[in-house]
Amino acid sequence: MRAKKSLGQNFLMHARIAERIACAAKLAPDAVVFEIGPGTGMLTRELLKCAKKVIALEADRELFEKLQDDFAREITGGRLDLIHGDVRSFDITTLPKKYALVANIPYYLTGDIFRMFLETERQPSSLTLLVQKEVAERIARAKKESILSLSVKAYGTPKLEFRVPRGAFTPAPKVDSAVLTVRDISRKNFPARADEERFFTLIRAGFAHKRKFARKNLSEAGLFPLNAPIYGASGEQASPVLAEKARAEDLPLAAWLALSRG
Ligand code: SAM
């Protein structure tokens, strides 16, 4: 079967890597896993060894039909629910209250998947994703934040687990990949939707012009009077660095959260 570029198909070649991804997810024996894009089923097979049940959503009809044949026993036994569809129109509320998301995702969906599964009320307990190496590094590193890293850290704790060279896939993608986990997922930073909206408005404005200081970017967007006292809602100093010549990438998550509550 020819891989479809439009669906970001790069299939894992080695069961050993699929096994390492499943291990990185640290699944309990009673875990329910949601897998996006099972493809040829390489990762699905390993997930079925560790979890109680896998719910797998595949957009490619040809692959979906092949998976139905290859996993007929697991489907009949109720251990695998195979769904044909596009994750972007998938109703997350149909998933069980507690589930883990594990997937080797097509690169073109990376941003959508983080947004969909972190911002929803039905968040996964953990997220284990094979993504572009640069993306994993940018999200998991401790210094130099970006809109993407802050939008993940606002909901959980990211960690780069291990790197996967491009040669591990067929066809080989142009870049290397890495397994990124996000644990301790919650919406505790955003008790109300308005807090979340304000946080995203602030970071988008703060990062608008890379060369300008965050304070300047925010004030140009009308979000932060340059002469305003820099204190959070409960009187704590929102961000000492904001008062100085700090760029958005140097401000930690806590500073943005304090600002969005201030
Ligand atoms: N999990 C397999 C593996 O590790 O070998 C395949 C990974 S491949 C990178 C991405 C998979 O996602 C493909 O099977 C592709 O058909 C599927 N896919 C692409 N776009 C999708 C979408 N919008 N919704 C659901 N699945 C999608």
Side-chain angles (χ1 to χ4, degrees):
M1 202 178 292
R2 269 177 72 89
K4 299 183 181 77
K5 228 176 163 180
S6 63
L7 286 174
Q9 292 179 349
N10 302 101
F11 301 110
L12 269 173
M13 296 286 288
H14 311 290
R16 174 75 191 115
I17 294 177
E19 188 188 343
R20 285 186 72 197
I21 299 171
C23 282
K26 296 199 173 100
L27 300 165
D30 65 345
V32 176
V33 174
F34 180 56
E35 185 191 4
I36 301 163
T40 55
M42 180 71 88
L43 178 58
T44 319
R45 196 158 279 117
E46 295 304 321
L47 293 171
L48 282 163
K49 288 183 193 164
C50 314
K52 187 175 98 185
K53 184 176 177 131
V54 176
I55 303 167
L57 175 73
E58 176 54 61
D60 185 328
R61 156 104 14 219
E62 251 182 295
L63 286 174
F64 169 75
E65 284 171 5
K66 181 152 187 340
L67 287 163
Q68 277 184 316
D69 290 342
D70 294 350
F71 289 89
R73 203 160 42 94
E74 289 81 357
I75 295 170
T76 316
R79 295 204 53 226
L80 175 63
D81 279 358
L82 199 57
I83 308 167
H84 176 237
D86 187 318
V87 67
R88 290 167 296 184
S89 47
F90 181 71
D91 179 2
I92 302 181
T93 62
T94 59
L95 290 170
K97 283 213 171 74
K98 193 166 166 18
Y99 70 97
L101 175 62
V102 186
N104 170 15
I105 56 170
Y107 293 153
Y108 80 96
L109 282 181
T110 309
D112 287 324
I113 288 175
F114 280 120
R115 250 190 316 278
M116 277 183 74
F117 288 88
L118 290 176
E119 292 178 22
T120 176
E121 301 288 335
R122 186 60 59 92
Q123 293 170 315
S125 50
S126 67
L127 197 146
T128 304
L129 296 177
L130 194 57
V131 296
Q132 287 189 22
K133 189 185 76 165
E134 282 72 16
V135 170
E137 287 171 348
R138 194 142 45 92
I139 294 174
R141 72 183 162 202
K143 290 186 183 148
K144 298 284 178 209
E145 301 293 357
S146 61
I147 294 182
L148 180 64
S149 67
L150 290 166
S151 4
V152 173
K153 288 176 184 174
Y155 298 95
T157 311
K159 181 177 175 210
L160 192 158
E161 299 284 347
F162 60 93
R163 292 172 176 78
V164 182
R166 63 196 81 181
F169 305 89
T170 187
K174 288 199 177 71
V175 292
D176 294 327
S177 297
V179 174
L180 179 87
T181 53
V182 184
R183 299 188 199 283
D184 313 317
I185 297 177
S186 81
R187 293 186 46 86
K188 69 176 182 338
N189 285 325
F190 305 119
R193 282 279 170 198
D195 302 322
E196 193 173 24
E197 277 163 28
R198 188 161 158 74
F199 171 79
F200 280 103
T201 304
L202 275 168
I203 58 172
R204 268 185 235 113
F207 280 87
H209 306 284
K210 223 179 163 314
R211 303 179 72 84
K212 291 185 186 167
F213 297 123
R215 230 175 119 91
K216 180 98 172 125
N217 277 335
L218 292 177
S219 71
E220 278 179 5
L223 292 167
F224 187 79
L226 273 176
N227 56 357
I230 308 159
Y231 291 100
S234 47
E236 80 279 23
Q237 201 166 2
S239 165
V241 268
L242 196 56
E244 300 158 20
K245 300 188 168 187
R247 299 195 195 282
E249 60 184 19
D250 297 317
L251 295 177
L253 174 69
W256 294 105
L257 287 173
L259 269 174
S260 68
R261 289 176 197 133

